[in-house]
Amino acid sequence: MTTAKIIREPLVRFILLGALIFGFYSFISGDSWSSNRITITSAKIAQMSEIFVKTWQRPPNAEEVKAMIDDYVKEELYVRQALVLGLDKDDTVIRRRLRQKMEFFSSAEAESVAPTDTELQAYLVAHPHSFEIEPQIALQQVFLNAERHGDSIAGDAAALLATLKAKPETGLSTLGDPTMLPSSLSLTRLTNVAETYGAEVADGARRAPVGQWVGPVRSGYGFHLIRVTERQAGRLPALTEVHDTVQAEWIQAKRHEVEERRLAEWLKRYQVVIETAPNVEGTAP
């Protein structure tokens, strides 16, 4: 390809155009900027142009490139003068934005490290409560309304329990008092049992032997006679079952680790002085 053809290539012409404009700004700035020089690098011009292309689906022309550079210089001047005037000080929005950007660096560092399955397995074992599959039970229950039975509730519950123990397969629909609570639950997590009947019933079911009627267990609804028909113990799942969840937790923990390490390093450079504040709770006297 000849030199003339290379120069006619759109990408080459665009780069040359950016370089010429950059040179123009460098020339007019001269030494007047001194240490306060504003440099618009070719990389910055390329970045602005890339954003333009994504927005307008075409490359910018010479005037548009100059307009983008003009706007960038204007923005830079405003920002620098604002910093000189201290307008960034005690501005909650700016402080929060700066903190978010610094936290983003910690997040990016943590997410750039891909954990191995060995690391994830170790994390899974070290944090079993975060991933453990809950115990599950299936149960039946007979409900007694405390208001309906009054002072005889204890005796009525004992008599009904004796009937159920003698004839475990008695039709439950013929026993107890009417209630909106289900008479049985298929295999389900203890958390769901607690949500359905109350924590007291879930705790009683957790300790009850399988296949035997026990009770009465009192809940916020009333009294319950319960029988656990099936139980599955809680277990730590295999990594393959919870791989994505463990990986997300691992990255979050790594992000926290990176953040804490950086904060500790930065804190070494500063002396933190906490002044006393009269009539403010939590400050040193």
Side-chain angles (χ1 to χ4, degrees):
M1 183 180 294
T2 64
T3 302
K5 288 185 177 180
I6 292 175
I7 292 176
R8 284 199 296 269
E9 286 291 316
L11 178 60
V12 174
R13 295 174 64 184
F14 172 73
I15 293 174
L16 289 173
L17 174 64
L20 287 172
I21 295 175
F22 171 68
F24 170 74
Y25 269 95
S26 298
F27 173 76
I28 63 172
S29 63
D31 295 329
S32 61
W33 289 94
S34 186
S35 60
N36 293 325
R37 182 186 302 274
I38 296 178
T39 301
I40 301 91
T41 65
S42 56
K44 184 63 182 178
I45 296 172
Q47 180 190 35
M48 292 188 293
S49 300
E50 183 180 349
I51 294 173
F52 186 98
V53 171
K54 288 182 178 178
T55 303
W56 301 103
Q57 301 300 308
R58 64 172 178 82
N61 58 36
E63 290 183 359
E64 290 164 335
V65 172
K66 181 181 180 301
M68 287 189 294
I69 294 176
D70 286 343
D71 188 65
Y72 177 79
V73 173
K74 183 188 295 185
E75 179 183 278
E76 189 68 18
L77 288 171
Y78 273 121
V79 170
R80 293 192 184 194
Q81 288 304 116
L83 293 175
V84 169
L85 295 173
L87 299 183
D88 59 313
K89 302 296 191 297
D90 299 322
D91 188 308
T92 302
V93 174
I94 292 177
R95 288 172 61 89
R96 286 178 179 171
R97 182 57 178 157
L98 291 174
R99 174 176 176 171
Q100 288 172 354
K101 297 193 79 169
M102 293 304 295
E103 288 176 343
F104 172 78
F105 291 141
S106 297
S107 299
E109 181 178 333
E111 292 172 6
S112 67
V113 181
T116 64
D117 283 353
T118 300
E119 290 174 313
L120 293 180
Q121 180 63 40
Y123 189 85
L124 173 62
V125 173
H127 303 84
H129 296 298
S130 298
F131 309 102
E132 185 179 37
I133 295 177
E134 273 192 82
Q136 298 187 73
I137 62 170
L139 63 77
Q140 297 173 315
Q141 69 100 24
V142 174
F143 177 75
L144 291 93
N145 189 316
E147 293 183 0
R148 173 176 292 189
H149 292 267
D151 294 339
S152 66
I153 184 68
D156 292 345
L160 184 55
L161 180 60
T163 298
L164 289 168
K165 286 184 175 181
K167 300 178 180 179
E169 303 306 324
T170 302
L172 301 184
S173 60
T174 64
L175 302 175
D177 299 321
T179 177
M180 296 295 292
L181 298 172
S183 60
S184 64
L185 280 183
S186 57
L187 204 61
T188 187
R189 296 182 304 158
L190 277 174
T191 299
N192 292 343
V193 175
E195 291 173 351
T196 303
Y197 301 112
E200 301 86 353
V201 173
D203 185 60
R206 180 180 60 81
R207 294 181 285 107
V210 175
Q212 296 183 25
W213 283 98
V214 298
V217 177
R218 186 168 188 173
S219 74
Y221 301 106
F223 288 79
H224 309 259
L225 303 176
I226 60 175
R227 179 172 72 164
V228 174
T229 57
E230 185 180 357
R231 174 182 285 118
Q232 285 186 1
R235 65 182 178 87
L236 187 66
L239 179 60
T240 52
E241 297 178 74
V242 288
H243 184 279
D244 291 348
T245 303
V246 176
Q247 180 169 278
E249 292 280 345
W250 186 94
I251 291 174
Q252 179 64 28
K254 182 62 67 174
R255 181 183 298 121
H256 180 73
E257 177 187 322
V258 170
E259 182 178 9
E260 289 298 308
R261 185 178 69 249
R262 282 184 170 165
L263 288 173
E265 292 172 355
W266 294 338
L267 195 56
K268 294 176 183 177
R269 307 174 192 172
Y270 297 90
Q271 179 184 12
V272 178
V273 179
I274 303 176
E275 297 181 349
T276 58
N279 302 322
V280 177
E281 185 178 350
T283 59

